[in-house]
Amino acid sequence: MDQNHMKKQINSARNSLFQQGYLDEQFIQLEDLQDDANPNFVEEIVTLFYSDSTRLIRNIETALDNYPLDFCKLDDYMHQFKGSSSSIGAKKVKDECSQFQECCKARNTEGCIGIFRQVKHEHATLKRKLETYFQVSPSNSLENRHTLQRNTQLCAAD
Amino acid sequence: MNLGGGQVVNKQSVMPSSSGASWKSTAAGGSGGGGGGDGGVPDQFPAGLRVLVVDDDPTCLMILEKMLRNCNYEVTKCNRAEVALSFLRENKNGFDVVISDVHMPDMDGFKLLEHIGIEMDLPTILLDCRVRKAYFLMIEFTVMSADDSKSVVMKGVTHGACDYLIKPVRIEALRNIWQHVVRKRKHEWKDFEPSASADEQKPPEEPDYSSSANEGHNWKNTKRRKDEDDEGEDRDDSSSLKKPRVVWSVELHQQFVAAVNQLGIDKAVPKKILELMNVPGLTRENVASHLQKYRLYLRRLSGSQHPGGMNASFMGGPDAGYGSISSLNGLDLQALAASGQLGQLPPQSLATLQAAALGRSTNSKSPISAPVIDQRNIFSFENPKSRYTEVQSQHLTNSSSSKQMNLLPGIPTNMEPKQFVSLQHQSGQHSFGSINNQVLIQMGGQSQSQSHSHSHSHSQGQSNTNPHHGLRPPVLSSEMLTRGGVVDMATTVYNPVVSQASSLVDFSMNHKNDSSGSSYPLGGSLGIPNLASATPTPLQGDGNLDTKVPRRGIVSSYDIFNDINPSGIREWGLQDVGMTFDSAQHTMQGGSGPVLLQHNRSSEREMGGQNRNSTSGKAIFSPGVETGSHRNVGQQRNSYVAENSLRVKAEDGSSHNNTLYPEQYGDDLLAAILKQ
């Protein structure tokens, strides 16, 4: 029961990430890549993303400190950051990035600064959530995931 | 070829499941190994496909690597373009396909693409994370109907990429990249055709080729090596009596055309041409026979309005592929046929665009009129296999008959007049011989909708044959090189995910303002606007052609690209302005992705410039293009409206005539064109 309960929780945690729009189906693609040879693939990728994105965020912050803003450069940086975020399925982050790019296009300084704060916020929030998720979820191999799903169904049937 | 094509198509569709067994078994030539005989990987297409991935983003890189590994491909990754190039250079036959991000700090993807195209001619797939910035390749062609009531102008530019994927990339998209390799190889195989002895050899080759994709694959290897060998042989044997068959590669042909133009078609004698070309190992006899063919070809272009045969070829399977236009210097005719797509659309919608540089043709007429392919057609990806086969056969037939470029064989051109808009490339200095028939298809309709991240509606572009053949300093200044007989277009088999339509069509725009050859500025994007607005509907070829292309016979592009994609052209979904070349057999499921054609090099520029010439209606493209002051075009990035609209990446080479590599992407140019 505990097992099931635990699994159920993990699963619902995972589901909520999707439902709340933090993650999109690209994340599922990553999960699908995970296999016995790479049982922690998703976690590895997310870790890699977060370490790399720190650098990108710093670039943007620096650029945002220089007035007048160089919107082209900002757009460029954001383009990279967005690409990265979208590749792990970070939906909210990606959406904020798009908004940021809109502001760049519109040459909206205030907008850029404001949106960027949101970008960072979403970025940090997702990180927390994923960290929690990885901590509780077992090595997310395919087998485990299937078990998870099966259990979810079972639990749902309860 | 038809059979072959069809077979290939079929095979391709089953290929993955056979896990390479069929490849192996059909390896007639027993090419040493898949991909160049490195011996490392037997012909186990697609498994074992050697992929080089280049992306500066480590997260993406790792994901791609894993995905490709899961597809059983052999992956090498690197995060810098320079490193990638050095890998490729060191190991010439070490890779089958390259996947590169567009946005990289040290060198952007397009440049890398060009380098690869020129140096190694490997199929290259580009990745980008936004459609907006994607450089779509647009293929523009004008179809002139009898009463000129409809004309669609599509502009296409090929840059050399054989596909364009939008990030985030899904594994399904990667599963089918092997098709690009096949396509490309098949296309290269076709390069044999224009050669002097090609005709004789063709028949025997065809059956082989047609027998299986693998054969094609082998052929490609063989052919490629042969190409290289031949050149070498020629050099060695120039003094001996024995003359190995000369393969008139795109590059060589461009040089030839340049020389002819320089001398003037009437005054071009083999001896002088030979001198001008200055190709070691080439004999006067080679040149003479090639000249003879070329003359026939020109005559055909100027003489016949629309040879029934041509039409037929275009009509090709429903999936008329999108033919790339190969522009011959001076008389380049390029026909782009949106084969696949066309098939779907009513006959008239198909338009084959031929860009022919008629500048110097004997008839001092204005540029060739190229058939304009109804945009709608282009984008409707349907890919009946028959189309593909037809295309193939057509292509072969055509090529054999004369130097006729097979305009998109698969493109059913209902246009009565079958006018082909020929892009005239006149550039004395540039000999564009071929257009890269690479149409980049944008995958993943990101443009379409974020949600459809996966429905990659790709238009199948054909993979390109290396458009950069013509990149020779004098010649290439951004011309579109079409591979002679680029078959890629036609053969692109796309898997639903991957849009193949990446046929890059390079229109080599001649700068020369040959009155006759008014180049068609890509401006005429009549269709484009339509496309842009349309949602995944194929380009509507409303006749917005601004320029009426005079009907000049049918311009057959020299070995056009075969972008015709008999097998199901991917639907482009409006956005695709691009031509769908060769839609893979698997039709795209999602909206069609835009076809990206990258126009590389200043061809766009020239195209724009060409507008000038297009006065007498020669210009194929609507003047809009020209405005693309290339520079401007390049600058505006988002001028393109429809996400899915195809953008032409115009290399901004305007100022440099001989710029080999475009300096900027001609988003704007494309946009401008589209606006037309």
Side-chain angles (χ1 to χ4, degrees):
Chain A
M1 256 321 96
D2 259 349
Q3 272 282 354
N4 281 347
H5 183 67
M6 181 69 158
K7 286 180 178 162
K8 188 179 172 190
Q9 286 209 318
I10 293 168
N11 210 45
S12 66
R14 178 178 168 276
N15 287 345
S16 79
L17 284 174
F18 285 98
Q19 279 158 15
Q20 290 169 25
Y22 285 101
L23 295 176
D24 61 25
E25 62 171 354
Q26 185 64 18
F27 191 79
I28 299 179
Q29 286 265 312
L30 298 187
E31 288 180 322
D32 286 341
L33 289 176
Q34 204 160 258
D35 52 23
D36 291 336
N38 296 74
N40 296 311
F41 181 73
V42 186
E43 193 174 348
E44 286 165 12
I45 290 284
V46 170
T47 308
L48 182 57
F49 166 72
Y50 275 99
S51 67
D52 187 55
S53 58
T54 315
R55 173 183 62 90
L56 293 172
I57 288 181
R58 230 181 305 123
N59 286 346
I60 298 176
E61 277 176 336
T62 309
L64 282 174
D65 280 338
N66 289 333
Y67 289 94
L69 293 188
D70 182 348
F71 291 105
C72 281
K73 201 172 359 156
L74 282 172
D75 187 73
D76 239 22
Y77 285 144
M78 187 47 79
H79 179 81
Q80 292 179 50
F81 182 72
K82 183 180 170 193
S84 220
S85 308
S86 65
S87 67
I88 67 158
K91 187 166 189 295
K92 285 198 176 187
V93 178
K94 184 178 73 162
D95 293 341
E96 294 296 335
C97 290
S98 300
Q99 283 203 46
F100 184 90
Q101 287 183 307
E102 292 299 314
C103 288
C104 286
K105 247 198 305 187
R107 307 186 73 83
N108 178 355
T109 303
E110 289 306 319
C112 282
I113 296 174
I115 299 278
F116 189 61
R117 248 184 263 125
Q118 276 172 255
V119 169
K120 282 194 289 185
H121 172 74
E122 291 297 342
H123 182 253
T125 304
L126 180 64
K127 183 175 184 189
R128 271 194 329 267
K129 289 187 180 270
L130 285 175
E131 276 170 352
T132 309
Y133 173 65
F134 289 131
Q135 275 163 20
V136 300
S137 63
S139 153
N140 207 9
S141 68
L142 207 62
E143 188 196 312
N144 285 350
R145 259 184 298 132
H146 286 162
T147 309
L148 215 86
Q149 287 158 13
R150 264 201 314 279
N151 287 341
T152 308
Q153 288 162 6
L154 286 174
C155 292
D158 283 349
Chain B
M1 225 22 189
N2 282 342
L3 292 182
Q7 287 177 18
V8 169
V9 166
N10 289 333
K11 276 195 164 54
Q12 283 171 340
S13 60
V14 301
M15 204 43 89
S17 53
S18 66
S19 67
S22 58
W23 287 95
K24 258 194 168 146
S25 59
T26 51
S31 66
D38 59 353
V41 179
D43 295 72
Q44 278 170 12
F45 250 22
L49 192 69
R50 297 158 307 160
V51 186
L52 175 65
V53 185
V54 190
D55 193 334
D56 64 320
D57 183 325
T59 312
C60 291
L61 197 59
M62 195 156 157
I63 295 175
L64 283 170
E65 187 195 13
K66 186 73 174 78
M67 283 181 171
L68 291 165
R69 289 247 155 88
N70 278 19
C71 294
N72 293 322
Y73 294 152
E74 225 182 73
V75 188
T76 306
K77 60 178 185 190
C78 57
N79 60 359
R80 311 249 332 188
E82 289 297 344
V83 173
L85 276 177
S86 67
F87 277 168
L88 292 168
R89 285 171 187 144
E90 282 161 25
N91 198 357
K92 281 274 175 171
N93 274 335
F95 297 98
D96 296 311
V97 62
V98 179
I99 299 181
S100 168
D101 187 26
V102 158
H103 189 106
M104 290 191 290
D106 58 338
M107 183 195 301
D108 78 51
F110 293 105
K111 267 225 159 63
L112 178 62
L113 175 64
E114 262 187 78
H115 277 289
I116 294 175
I118 297 171
E119 299 180 34
M120 299 113 202
D121 190 21
L122 281 177
T124 306
I125 296 170
L126 295 182
L127 303 177
D128 195 0
C129 81
R130 61 181 162 190
V131 166
R132 172 172 75 86
K133 201 167 177 175
Y135 298 104
F136 298 88
L137 296 182
M138 275 207 309
I139 294 194
E140 188 173 280
F141 42 85
T142 306
V143 171
M144 302 272 293
S145 61
D147 56 356
D148 264 36
S149 59
K150 319 177 164 190
S151 42
V152 174
V153 174
M154 297 222 10
K155 186 173 348 202
V157 181
T158 60
H159 197 292
C162 57
D163 202 347
Y164 195 103
L165 309 182
I166 298 296
K167 288 182 177 179
V169 180
R170 295 174 64 108
I171 193 171
E172 291 84 357
L174 298 175
R175 282 194 200 281
N176 295 296
I177 62 179
W178 61 273
Q179 294 170 2
H180 291 292
V181 180
V182 172
R183 186 172 322 115
K184 195 167 171 67
R185 290 178 181 177
K186 278 203 320 197
H187 176 79
E188 289 189 356
W189 179 83
K190 283 186 188 301
D191 275 351
F192 272 130
E193 289 166 17
S195 75
S197 47
D199 289 348
E200 297 88 62
Q201 294 197 6
K202 208 155 17 112
E205 287 170 356
E206 283 182 49
D208 285 348
Y209 180 73
S210 63
S211 64
S212 71
N214 197 15
E215 301 243 355
H217 166 66
N218 288 336
W219 255 116
K220 176 185 171 345
N221 286 341
T222 312
K223 181 178 175 296
R224 250 208 180 166
R225 287 190 217 113
K226 246 185 132 168
D227 262 337
E228 296 157 2
D229 292 346
D230 272 355
E231 296 296 340
E233 275 177 33
D234 283 346
R235 287 186 209 110
D236 294 340
D237 291 328
S238 56
S239 52
S240 73
L241 286 177
K242 168 179 165 246
K243 272 179 293 224
R245 187 165 68 77
V246 172
V247 174
W248 282 88
S249 65
V250 166
E251 229 172 35
L252 203 56
H253 178 70
Q254 283 182 342
Q255 280 179 280
F256 169 83
V257 176
V260 168
N261 283 344
Q262 215 170 311
L263 295 167
I265 186 69
D266 294 332
K267 295 214 201 67
V269 285
K271 186 152 190 274
K272 295 212 180 114
I273 297 173
L274 186 63
E275 279 165 26
L276 278 178
M277 282 177 72
N278 194 22
V279 171
L282 196 65
T283 67
R284 198 203 69 82
E285 287 79 6
N286 296 140
V287 175
S289 75
H290 192 67
L291 179 65
Q292 185 182 40
K293 293 186 180 195
Y294 186 64
R295 284 218 172 101
L296 284 173
Y297 163 68
L298 295 182
R299 216 169 293 150
R300 224 160 63 61
L301 288 179
S302 56
S304 54
Q305 271 280 301
H306 165 52
M310 276 244 240
N311 286 339
S313 61
F314 290 127
M315 303 298 277
D319 276 346
Y322 151 92
S324 58
I325 297 182
S326 55
S327 55
L328 301 179
N329 213 6
L331 283 179
D332 293 345
L333 293 181
Q334 311 197 335
L336 287 182
S339 38
Q341 309 293 320
L342 297 182
Q344 311 245 331
L345 297 175
Q348 22 272 70
S349 49
L350 293 181
T352 318
L353 179 63
Q354 278 184 334
L358 286 186
R360 303 271 181 172
S361 63
T362 36
N363 40 337
S364 47
K365 294 233 286 198
S366 45
I368 319 166
S369 52
V372 172
I373 297 180
D374 194 322
Q375 292 170 354
R376 253 174 317 130
N377 294 330
I378 299 203
F379 296 120
S380 51
F381 281 98
E382 292 188 1
N383 17 27
K385 295 197 185 159
S386 56
R387 219 228 225 168
Y388 177 83
T389 54
E390 284 192 53
V391 172
Q392 294 299 326
S393 58
Q394 290 293 348
H395 183 84
L396 291 181
T397 317
N398 290 342
S399 3
S400 52
S401 58
S402 61
K403 273 214 201 135
Q404 156 186 6
M405 300 286 197
N406 209 1
L407 291 183
L408 308 176
I411 298 185
T413 44
N414 277 345
M415 327 254 304
E416 303 93 5
K418 289 253 183 198
Q419 310 264 331
F420 293 114
V421 173
S422 49
L423 293 179
Q424 229 169 352
H425 307 284
Q426 305 212 0
S427 49
Q429 58 228 115
H430 319 283
S431 51
F432 305 117
S434 50
I435 292 185
N436 286 332
N437 306 320
Q438 296 181 344
V439 173
L440 292 187
I441 300 184
Q442 177 179 3
M443 281 195 44
Q446 265 207 345
S447 53
Q448 310 247 348
S449 51
Q450 303 305 326
S451 55
H452 122 160
S453 57
H454 219 46
S455 52
H456 300 269
S457 42
H458 319 286
S459 31
Q460 317 344 352
Q462 240 355 331
S463 47
N464 23 249
T465 36
N466 186 14
H468 296 281
H469 274 282
L471 286 185
R472 283 244 177 147
V475 179
L476 295 178
S477 39
S478 62
E479 308 249 290
M480 302 212 280
L481 306 176
T482 34
R483 239 160 216 230
V486 172
V487 190
D488 282 355
M489 299 282 233
T491 59
T492 313
V493 174
Y494 254 117
N495 57 75
V497 176
V498 176
S499 53
Q500 302 190 339
S502 34
S503 18
L504 295 181
V505 177
D506 273 352
F507 290 133
S508 21
M509 304 291 269
N510 289 341
H511 271 283
K512 280 280 185 93
N513 303 333
D514 226 12
S515 53
S516 55
S518 50
S519 39
Y520 5 77
L522 288 183
S525 50
L526 299 183
I528 311 238
N530 289 337
L531 295 178
S533 49
T535 28
T537 51
L539 288 180
Q540 300 293 327
D542 298 300
N544 345 64
L545 279 187
D546 297 339
T547 55
K548 285 197 178 169
V549 177
R551 292 202 179 184
R552 282 254 139 120
I554 302 244
V555 171
S556 47
S557 59
Y558 223 73
D559 277 346
I560 292 193
F561 346 37
N562 287 330
D563 281 322
I564 306 179
N565 205 343
S567 45
I569 295 205
R570 281 259 156 161
E571 27 174 358
W572 293 58
L574 145 186
Q575 295 73 23
D576 306 334
V577 169
M579 335 204 259
T580 35
F581 297 117
D582 227 5
S583 42
Q585 320 199 269
H586 316 256
T587 12
M588 289 210 349
Q589 319 188 331
S592 37
V595 169
L596 284 178
L597 291 180
Q598 289 183 339
H599 175 73
N600 123 37
R601 299 189 255 216
S602 42
S603 43
E604 282 235 274
R605 193 164 51 85
E606 295 182 287
M607 300 234 253
Q610 301 293 348
N611 278 328
R612 302 179 259 170
N613 300 328
S614 56
T615 39
S616 40
K618 299 220 192 131
I620 296 188
F621 300 119
S622 55
V625 174
E626 91 184 356
T627 29
S629 15
H630 326 292
R631 304 292 163 77
N632 295 337
V633 170
Q635 317 280 335
Q636 325 169 320
R637 289 278 170 115
N638 297 324
S639 49
Y640 231 152
V641 212
E643 286 288 328
N644 298 324
S645 47
L646 296 178
R647 280 186 183 207
V648 171
K649 180 177 117 83
E651 300 280 358
D652 185 1
S654 47
S655 50
H656 339 244
N657 281 341
N658 291 332
T659 313
L660 289 187
Y661 305 105
E663 287 164 38
Q664 358 183 294
Y665 301 121
D667 284 336
D668 299 322
L669 181 53
L670 205 51
I673 295 172
L674 290 184
K675 287 211 180 115
Q676 287 300 317

